[in-house]
């Protein structure tokens, strides 16, 4: 009987230990599942982080490329503006030369008209010796009349400026 009691007591102790071990095992499995979940989340976060780093690197490269293209376009625009301004300067210089030539032509035409008037006057004097006198116009009257009606000064062309950002 003592042995049976002893065995029952040992058996009850074993059952108690068995239950506590089962409880510890379930707690361990739950902790292991939680750790695996946390570790899986960490791996997912690491994968996402690596993916984002790749995207950032790719975007930086695109930005660098676009910056290079922008600088190139700005250089081209500056060169085109410089060429345009040079062309405007050349055009203004040619307009000034044209204006000067127009003034010369007007002066020479006025001089020519004056000479014609003088010749006509001399011819009239020779033909009618003391008949009626016609008034001889001065060169300045011809020039002022002709130049005033034909000349318009060239307008200055606007300058274009580029501000680099």
């Amino acid at each position: 009987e003592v042995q049976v009691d002893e065995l029952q007591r040992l058996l009850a102790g074993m059952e108690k230990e068995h239950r506590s071990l089962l409880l510890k095992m379930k707690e361990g499995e739950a902790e292991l599942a939680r750790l695996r979940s946390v570790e899986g989340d960490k791996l997912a976060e690491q994968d996402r982080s690596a993916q984002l780093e790749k995207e950032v690197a790719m975007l930086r490269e695109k930005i660098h490329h676009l910056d290079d293209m922008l600088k190139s376009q700005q250089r081209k625009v500056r060169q085109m503006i410089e060429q345009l301004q040079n062309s405007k300067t050349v055009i203004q210089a040619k307009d000034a030369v044209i204006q000067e030539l127009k003034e010369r032509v007007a002066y020479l035409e006025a001089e020519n008209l004056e000479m014609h008037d003088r010749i006509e006057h001399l011819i009239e004097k020779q033909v009618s010796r003391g008949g009626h006198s016609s008034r001889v116009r001065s060169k300045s009257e011809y020039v002022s009349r002709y130049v005033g009606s034909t000349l318009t000064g060239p307008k200055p062309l606007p300058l274009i400026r580029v501000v680099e950002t």
Side-chain angles (χ1 to χ4, degrees):
E1 243 179 64
V2 172
Q3 278 184 341
V4 169
D5 281 343
E6 181 74 22
L7 283 175
Q8 281 182 341
R9 193 176 53 80
L10 283 174
L11 188 60
M14 285 180 167
E15 284 178 6
K16 193 176 182 181
E17 190 176 341
H18 180 264
R19 281 192 298 262
S20 87
L21 288 175
L22 276 177
L23 185 61
K24 281 185 180 180
M25 184 182 79
K26 286 183 182 179
E27 287 174 358
E29 285 176 346
E31 180 69 16
L32 182 62
R34 187 185 66 77
L35 288 174
R36 283 183 180 156
S37 171
V38 167
E39 190 175 305
D41 290 345
K42 284 182 183 177
L43 286 175
E45 286 176 6
Q46 286 176 349
D47 287 345
R48 179 70 179 145
S49 176
Q51 182 183 2
L52 288 174
E53 285 177 10
K54 286 179 185 177
E55 286 180 24
V56 166
M58 185 175 66
L59 290 173
R60 279 189 182 136
E61 190 172 319
K62 282 183 180 180
I63 288 171
H64 180 71
H65 179 68
L66 289 174
D67 281 344
D68 288 346
M69 286 177 54
L70 180 64
K71 287 177 183 175
S72 172
Q73 292 300 320
Q74 285 175 339
R75 272 192 301 273
K76 286 180 183 177
V77 167
R78 275 195 302 276
Q79 288 172 351
M80 289 173 67
I81 289 171
E82 187 177 308
Q83 288 174 350
L84 181 64
Q85 288 175 337
N86 290 341
S87 295
K88 285 180 181 181
T89 303
V90 167
I91 289 171
Q92 286 175 341
K94 288 185 178 182
D95 282 347
V97 168
I98 289 171
Q99 192 66 26
E100 186 179 321
L101 291 173
K102 283 181 180 180
E103 289 172 5
R104 278 186 183 167
V105 166
Y107 180 80
L108 291 173
E109 284 181 351
E111 205 172 64
N112 191 18
L113 284 174
E114 182 186 359
M115 292 296 205
H116 279 290
D117 279 353
R118 283 184 182 174
I119 290 172
E120 284 178 17
H121 180 68
L122 289 174
I123 291 173
E124 283 178 12
K125 268 187 175 181
Q126 287 178 355
V127 169
S128 67
R129 294 265 182 227
H132 47 276
S133 68
S134 62
R135 178 170 108 61
V136 178
R137 293 184 203 146
S138 70
K139 192 184 325 178
S140 62
E141 286 180 294
Y142 288 111
V143 171
S144 65
R145 189 171 1 141
Y146 187 77
V147 171
S149 65
T150 60
L151 298 180
T152 56
K155 295 180 183 177
L157 299 173
L159 290 179
I160 299 172
R161 292 185 186 235
V162 174
V163 177
E164 187 171 336
T165 57

